[in-house]
Each structure stands twice: as structure tokens, then as C-alpha cells.
Amino acid sequence: MMTFCNSYRSRIWTAVSFHDDEFCGGEGGGWRNRGWWGIDPGACVQVHSGIVSNVNRYWYVYAEAADLSRKWEGAFRTYVKDPDSFDICDGIASSAYVVRNFAQIDTGDVQSGPSRLGVSR
């Protein structure tokens, strides 16, 4: 499973992108983007209940503080719907989508147990 935890001083909003040919084959190029999970300071939220390595070794995440004081991002441009929750296929564009720069997470060869991502100062 994939769990995000917030150790930042304010509420954060986070999104995830992962390879999912069943949901996003064809035009979606196999990449599924989901969000937004609101996470209060000190709390955690499960964003995927299955074994992450069964889906894909590489996952992509983005988070921003609710007060806009901080962003956790990377170099991978990914579509999101902002500010509404979303479950979309990357590459199937809509005028309602915006681009955010997601960071790559290498889950390695994790076979069981949770993968936890902590967001901190």
C-alpha cells in the first residue's frame, strides 16, 4: 500500500500518478493521475491499497501546503484538476486540467508491507 504522512506545520494537499494500463490504456498512455487528498499535520492517508510494486516501480507525487507556503515537486509534468478531486488519465487533455511538476519515487522491489511518504519541513 502507499501511505502519505504529513509532518509539515499546516494541512497539505497531495496527488499521485502511477502506471495503470487497465484504467488508462490507449490515449492515456497508461498513466493514471489521482488526487487531492487533504492531510492534516501529524496525520496519514492511504492513497493506494494494493502492493505498489505490482502496479509499477516508479510512482510520482506532488504536494502543496493549503496556505501555499510550500510545494513538494519535481521535474515530471503531470495533469491534475485543480482544485477539484480527480481520477484521470494523463495525456487526455481537457481545458479543466492544469500541469503540476511531480517528483519521482522509486519503490524499489518492495513486495509487501506499506510504502510511506513523509512530507516535512
Side-chain angles (χ1 to χ4, degrees):
M1 81 181 89
M2 175 80 66
T3 302
F4 294 161
C5 297
N6 179 7
S7 55
Y8 193 60
R9 68 178 182 257
S10 67
R11 182 176 180 88
I12 64 166
W13 292 94
T14 190
V16 63
S17 179
F18 56 95
H19 200 260
D20 185 347
D21 277 328
E22 285 184 41
F23 190 82
C24 291
E27 284 184 66
W31 290 96
R32 184 175 182 180
N33 306 334
R34 296 181 66 213
W36 296 103
W37 288 273
I39 311 170
D40 290 324
C44 295
V45 66
Q46 181 178 309
V47 300
H48 182 73
S49 61
I51 298 172
V52 295
S53 61
N54 285 351
V55 176
N56 194 42
R57 177 177 178 164
Y58 297 99
W59 286 64
Y60 298 86
V61 299
Y62 174 86
E64 62 184 37
D67 63 7
L68 301 178
S69 62
R70 176 88 194 270
K71 292 181 183 179
W72 295 265
E73 56 189 344
F76 297 90
R77 295 174 52 83
T78 304
Y79 287 101
V80 302
K81 192 170 183 181
D82 197 12
D84 302 324
S85 62
F86 62 93
D87 188 350
I88 61 175
C89 298
D90 202 54
I92 300 177
S94 165
S95 60
Y97 302 155
V98 296
V99 172
R100 295 289 184 263
N101 295 321
F102 282 51
Q104 184 181 63
I105 296 175
D106 183 351
T107 64
D109 59 358
V110 174
Q111 297 300 313
S112 62
S115 291
R116 293 173 65 94
L117 171 69
V119 177
S120 61
R121 310 184 217 109

